[in-house]
Amino acid sequence: MIFKRGSGAAADAFARILANTGWLLGGKGVGAVLSLAYLAIVTRTLGVADFGRFALVLSAANVIKTLVSFDSWQIVVRYGQPHLAAGDGDALNRVLRFCILIDLASAAAGAAIAAGVILFAGPLLGLEPDMGLQVWLFALLMMITIRSSPTGVLRLFDRFDSAAFAETMIPVGRMVGALVAWAVAPGITAFLLAWAFAELLCAASYWFLALRVGGAQIGSWRAGRALDARAENPGIVGFLTATNLQTSLSSVGQQVAVLIVGAFVGPAGAGLYRLANQLANSLTKISSLLSRSIFVELSRTTAQGTEALGALFRRTNRLALIAGAVIIAIILTIGRPLLGLIAGEEFLPAYPLLLMLGVAACIDLAGVSYRPLLMATDRTGLSLRISVVATLLLLGLQSALLLLYGTQGAAMANILSSLAAFTMMGLASRRAVATKD
């Protein structure tokens, strides 16, 4: 009977993962189609060199945002579930307000860092002297639109459909903004404004839907102090810090890679690298979508015993392996024609990069359940240490291989670091399942 209950629980959780990922993937499907269109507009309008400068500005802003922002949605899900189950909406509200404070502090820190980066590293990014204020305002908007807290509310209430709708506002906003920029004043500044508009639209949608879904269940906004959440939820600060560092390392590694390429080979090389990286990530977007759904269900399943946890873990692994194999086949068959169709013939030299970065992303996809499992089983510190090693390995290999093989060496570094992270995370995850009480 224990085996059957565990298997049944795992089957139910796996079904919810598929359903929730389906909602997210539906929204991303719309985004993927639109992204092909607005990427075509931007690349064909700006050309290789100016698109490279545009890519460097986006990467710099994303690096800063990733460094200072916290994955507070995981806090809302992890520590909000017990309060929601107990009907204690006020305690849940204090957790939410605690996360909002963290997001606001992150935005302020990010704005200050952005000013320093623009002041001292503007020439390295290829910025003209009169672009500094515009880029800082763009970075400021990126900081203000951190939306992790409302994301957590929607996932806590299993409203992945609402989250999918809110997420589509980014590609919709970019598409609308790109068309306006192309028609009115085509240039780097206009496209930056289009991207900023999309971020604002998405953040507003997330908050509107989160407040509507949560309603009275998220308690009173005046019940106690937000900082009381630290005492009411033991371990919340440590979990918050570890998840932030881990997410920052994995994301910053990818964004810093573009900056490293730009420093070594110039804006044109950085533009080719970013385009290939963006297309590869678009094809493997299911990885991040699965990770979000898996974390929510693994957090619930840990309380149901080893059998249910192990069964769910094995099912998600098989799904990820199949998805990775299918995506690699897609890149091999239609990757080059797709690249030429979107960006034009001058971007075709990016195809080898697309192939290698796609392989690296599929390796990450194959191990998509590892990190959520370690976090759900209170092994966040171990997951963080592995992320540190993998990120250092990525940046070190990139710096070395760039000198030998140019941008293709940088792409190869992604494959090697992804293999190392996959191996380390896999061993740690299997040990976690085997030793789970």
Side-chain angles (χ1 to χ4, degrees), residues 1-10 304-308:
M1 291 296 294
I2 293 176
F3 177 80
K4 290 182 179 178
R5 282 197 299 268
S7 298
Q304 299 175 15
T306 304
E307 185 62 41

Side-chain angles (χ1 to χ4, degrees), residues 117-272:
V117 169
I118 293 168
L119 182 63
F120 296 106
L124 293 177
L125 299 176
L127 297 181
E128 300 294 333
D130 60 342
M131 285 186 64
L133 179 60
Q134 300 168 13
V135 174
W136 182 79
L137 290 174
F138 171 74
L140 178 62
L141 281 171
M142 291 284 285
M143 302 304 117
I144 293 173
T145 54
I146 294 173
R147 50 191 173 271
S148 193
S149 296
T151 301
V153 173
L154 293 177
R155 290 174 186 168
L156 178 64
F157 287 92
D158 275 330
R159 292 304 305 269
F160 282 75
D161 53 343
S162 296
F165 174 79
E167 200 67 31
T168 59
M169 292 300 103
I170 286 185
V172 169
R174 287 179 180 177
M175 186 70 227
V176 172
L179 286 171
V180 173
W182 175 66
V184 176
I188 295 176
T189 300
F191 286 119
L192 287 177
L193 286 173
W195 262 237
F197 165 73
E199 294 289 332
L200 284 170
L201 183 62
C202 181
S205 300
Y206 260 112
W207 272 114
F208 172 78
L209 292 170
L211 293 176
R212 191 176 70 171
V213 167
Q217 293 185 77
I218 58 175
S220 171
W221 292 88
R222 298 181 179 180
R225 301 184 310 143
L227 294 179
D228 292 341
R230 293 180 299 176
E232 295 172 347
N233 302 274
I236 190 173
V237 175
F239 185 86
L240 180 68
T241 303
T243 52
N244 165 255
L245 291 173
Q246 186 167 291
T247 303
S248 297
L249 284 168
S250 59
S251 299
V252 166
Q254 297 300 321
Q255 299 295 339
V256 169
V258 179
L259 299 180
I260 290 176
V261 172
F264 276 87
V265 300
L272 291 174

Side-chain angles (χ1 to χ4, degrees), residues 70-83 91-102 149 225-245 375 378 380:
F70 290 78
D71 258 355
S72 52
W73 74 267
Q74 295 178 346
I75 297 293
V76 177
V77 170
R78 174 73 181 275
Y79 291 93
Q81 281 184 9
H83 300 312
L92 171 59
N93 190 279
R94 286 190 287 273
V95 170
L96 178 58
R97 278 185 283 143
F98 176 76
C99 292
I100 293 172
L101 286 179
I102 296 296
S149 296
R225 301 184 310 143
L227 294 179
D228 292 341
R230 293 180 299 176
E232 295 172 347
N233 302 274
I236 190 173
V237 175
F239 185 86
L240 180 68
T241 303
T243 52
N244 165 255
L245 291 173
M375 293 168 58
D378 294 324
T380 308

